Amino acid sequence: MSISLQKGQKVSLAKPGGGSLTRVRMGLGWDAVAKKGLFGKSRAQSIDLDASCLLFDAAGNLADQVWFRQLQSKEGAVHHTGDNLTGEGEGDDEVINVDLQRIPDNVHQLVFTVNSFTGQDFSQIANAFCRLVDESTGQEIARYELSEGGRHNAQIMAKVSRDGSGWSMTAIGATASGRTFQHLLPAVSAHL
């Protein structure tokens, strides 16, 4: 059973029968809003949203990053499956797989961000979501709807944090501006 997350809501990543999740998938999906063209006809536009996973240590320092220019973390625990330049198609358009058991001990938080590399703001993006899936069962654990019209072109989606011996996920949903994760770092630091 999936939980629809609201901003700031936290969910434990413990399995219902006990134990904690070991492998999760963060999926990002979106569609471009059709633009009005000449004579009132609608035309599709290309919007390149990018999902990134930023790994932070206990002091809030960036330890590693996974994004379209670095598809895998240094130790291989986090893997981006590739850049989708349009958002076309159903389901997840970009996917980041995380093996929580292989995350180095010095990493305490994983922050997932999304930004419009092509610069369009979220008023031009429809059906945007991120979701967390248990990779061992394929079951969706949590979903966060990102489609809030606005003049921002990025969002700090969610973070996965060490929580005792397991992990928990917090929906952040903070708006930001920037074409790559580097531009978002000052805004991300407020949520660590």
Side-chain angles (χ1 to χ4, degrees):
M1 178 174 161
S2 179
I3 297 171
S4 182
L5 292 173
Q6 304 299 315
K7 285 182 183 180
Q9 185 177 359
K10 183 177 181 179
V11 62
S12 171
L13 298 184
K15 288 189 176 188
S20 62
L21 296 175
T22 57
R23 297 178 66 84
V24 294
R25 176 177 77 234
M26 180 65 74
L28 167 67
W30 74 93
D31 295 313
V33 173
K35 283 187 126 179
K36 298 259 188 220
L38 291 176
F39 309 111
K41 291 186 178 185
S42 294
R43 63 178 175 86
Q45 60 176 326
S46 284
I47 295 180
D48 179 9
L49 290 187
D50 290 322
S52 302
C53 179
L54 310 176
L55 293 76
F56 291 92
D57 66 18
N61 298 311
L62 184 64
D64 202 356
Q65 65 277 331
V66 175
W67 60 309
F68 72 91
R69 290 191 178 147
Q70 180 181 319
L71 297 177
Q72 187 166 293
S73 59
K74 295 171 191 167
E75 77 299 316
V78 182
H79 177 76
H80 193 304
T81 60
D83 193 14
N84 180 317
L85 303 177
T86 64
E88 290 180 10
E90 297 297 316
D92 297 335
D93 296 313
E94 290 197 9
V95 172
I96 297 175
N97 293 302
V98 180
D99 184 343
L100 293 169
Q101 292 180 313
R102 292 180 55 199
I103 298 293
D105 291 341
N106 70 312
V107 172
H108 288 256
Q109 296 184 78
L110 306 153
V111 178
F112 294 89
T113 64
V114 59
N115 52 275
S116 174
F117 186 73
T118 45
Q120 292 96 334
D121 62 46
F122 271 67
S123 69
Q124 299 175 59
I125 300 166
N127 307 317
F129 65 88
C130 72
R131 66 191 194 118
L132 194 68
V133 176
D134 179 345
E135 275 293 277
S136 64
T137 65
Q139 180 181 1
E140 183 176 280
I141 301 160
R143 175 178 285 261
Y144 182 61
E145 300 297 329
L146 299 170
S147 288
E148 280 184 11
R151 295 318 224 180
H152 57 284
N153 66 358
Q155 281 198 351
I156 303 161
M157 300 186 306
K159 69 179 175 181
V160 175
S161 306
R162 288 192 189 275
D163 193 1
S165 61
W167 296 84
S168 63
M169 177 184 174
T170 303
I172 298 172
T175 61
S177 293
R179 293 184 56 221
T180 66
F181 82 85
Q182 292 98 331
H183 299 123
L184 305 181
L185 288 174
V188 167
S189 66
H191 299 281
L192 297 177

